[in-house]
Amino acid sequence: MPGEDHRIPLGQDLIWRIEAVAFAALFALLRALGVERASNFGGWLLRTLGPLVGTHKIVRRNLKIAFPDMPVAERDRLAVEQWDRTGRTFAELAVMDRLTPEGGRVEVVGIERLHAVRDSGKPVVLISGHLANFEVMAAVIMSAGVPCQVTYRAANNPYVDALIRQSRERYGIRLFAPKGDGTRELMAGMKRGDSIALLVDQKYNQGPEVRFFDEPVNASPGAARLALRFGTVMQPLSVVRLPGVRFRVTAHEPIAVPDTGDKTGDVLRGIQAANTFVEDRVREVPEDWFWVHKRWPDSVYQALGPLDA
């Protein structure tokens, strides 16, 4: 909430409060609809509206960068389908406490890996990307009993941000570390034995360059750097959407960050391994990824050429 030391103009505060009331009403409606109808509504809404907005061009450009040899018609089909799945993901945030292993809608492959982390008392760096409903992976981590801090990007509206945090608390997330200024919390948490969960597939302009779909991207070094510092592994997770608003979460083979004494090179190799992991999952189910994000640098988009070729 806005603090007393940071006075917000009355007009801005009023707008934020009105937005929060609307957000809360939407959440209440979605929860009243139930899991399947809420998910279907979100999918229908963005499947209908998404292709009409300017962001649709970013989606199509991203798909051409990733799959240059794919027929245009197939890329266009994927562009519409990803809107459906993105809409479902946002609508499902309102009912996330019902999308847990205990609720019967989530199956977990490799749960023994998460139990081993829980029982060891030592931290790992859990990594993944914006795949399917990525909140489901956090729900699985909580269900497995792994003490974990989950990074998040705070909403601009502090009242809406509080509502989102409350929604996440319903399915077990208690430890939040804000992106950007949450490094201190992450470090302190890992010293206590808490694991951390990071999504590693977003653009990070200050980060080193790695390859993603055979093109350069700037990636955050945080996951590899923390794993190296604390002498632990990156534990990859993935989630795929199944029919009937169901999900499969997989805990994959851990990724060890090289420790050769060349810290810069070791971190770079770790970052590359993390991004390659995400790329492999996107290639398996491209509809499930968050294609609306401008992932590549401007130079890659400028060299792209016409979208219908």
Side-chain angles (χ1 to χ4, degrees):
M1 296 295 181
E4 295 181 0
D5 295 334
H6 302 280
R7 297 191 180 278
I8 304 300
L10 181 61
Q12 178 64 76
D13 188 67
L14 180 61
I15 291 171
W16 277 343
R17 289 178 182 275
I18 292 172
E19 289 175 347
V21 169
F23 187 87
L26 175 61
F27 259 39
L29 172 62
L30 292 170
R31 289 184 66 80
L33 287 175
V35 171
E36 296 202 10
R37 286 189 293 176
S39 179
N40 291 342
F41 171 74
W44 168 80
L45 185 65
L46 281 201
R47 175 182 280 268
T48 302
L49 299 180
L52 305 179
V53 301
T55 307
H56 191 63
K57 186 175 181 180
I58 295 175
V59 172
R60 295 185 69 215
R61 294 165 81 193
N62 285 340
L63 283 164
K64 184 170 182 180
I65 291 169
F67 303 112
D69 298 325
M70 181 181 286
V72 174
E74 176 63 9
R75 289 203 304 264
D76 287 346
R77 183 196 70 78
L78 287 176
V80 175
E81 179 62 23
Q82 67 83 37
W83 279 117
D84 180 279
R85 300 195 182 196
T86 298
R88 288 177 180 274
T89 295
F90 283 117
E92 288 159 1
L93 181 60
V95 292
M96 268 304 305
D97 56 316
R98 305 172 198 175
L99 297 178
T100 64
E102 294 80 4
R105 290 183 177 271
V106 181
E107 60 182 76
V108 185
V109 178
I111 187 65
E112 67 278 0
R113 290 193 169 113
L114 295 180
H115 288 163
V117 173
R118 175 198 65 194
D119 296 341
S120 73
K122 297 179 180 179
V124 300
V125 181
L126 295 135
I127 62 167
S128 191
H130 289 78
L131 306 166
N133 185 333
F134 39 90
E135 297 279 348
V136 171
M137 292 184 288
V140 167
I141 294 168
M142 299 300 110
S143 176
V146 177
C148 183
Q149 295 194 64
V150 176
T151 57
Y152 81 106
R153 186 181 299 282
N156 292 333
N157 181 325
Y159 302 109
V160 169
D161 187 62
L163 292 171
I164 293 173
R165 287 171 62 113
Q166 289 170 12
S167 174
R168 287 172 169 157
E169 287 170 359
R170 287 196 194 106
Y171 62 92
I173 297 181
R174 295 288 185 272
L175 301 173
F176 295 93
K179 286 186 178 179
D181 59 356
T183 303
R184 185 172 299 175
E185 290 95 326
L186 294 179
M187 298 279 287
M190 292 192 77
K191 288 178 182 177
R192 292 193 306 267
D194 294 343
S195 294
I196 61 171
L198 302 169
L199 298 179
V200 299
D201 58 343
Q202 286 189 300
K203 187 176 182 181
Y204 187 75
N205 290 329
Q206 295 76 34
E209 185 178 290
V210 296
R211 306 292 292 184
F212 190 63
F213 284 93
D214 299 321
E215 295 288 353
V217 294
N218 295 101
S220 171
R225 186 175 289 165
L226 287 167
L228 188 62
R229 173 162 184 163
F230 286 91
T232 190
V233 297
M234 296 187 295
Q235 172 58 65
L237 299 179
S238 67
V239 56
V240 294
R241 184 176 289 276
L242 304 175
V245 198
R246 296 179 184 275
F247 303 88
R248 179 187 300 115
V249 172
T250 301
H252 297 260
E253 186 74 24
I255 298 173
V257 179
D259 187 4
T260 67
D262 173 15
K263 182 177 179 181
T264 300
D266 291 339
V267 168
L268 184 62
R269 285 184 283 273
I271 302 166
Q272 181 62 72
N275 277 265
T276 298
F277 167 79
V278 174
E279 178 184 329
D280 289 344
R281 305 290 79 76
V282 177
R283 288 186 183 277
E284 289 171 355
V285 191
E287 296 92 335
D288 272 352
W289 197 49
F290 197 60
W291 292 97
V292 300
H293 173 55
K294 194 175 180 182
R295 180 68 184 93
W296 287 269
D298 290 342
S299 58
V300 175
Y301 291 102
Q302 291 165 1
L304 190 57
L307 291 175
D308 294 323

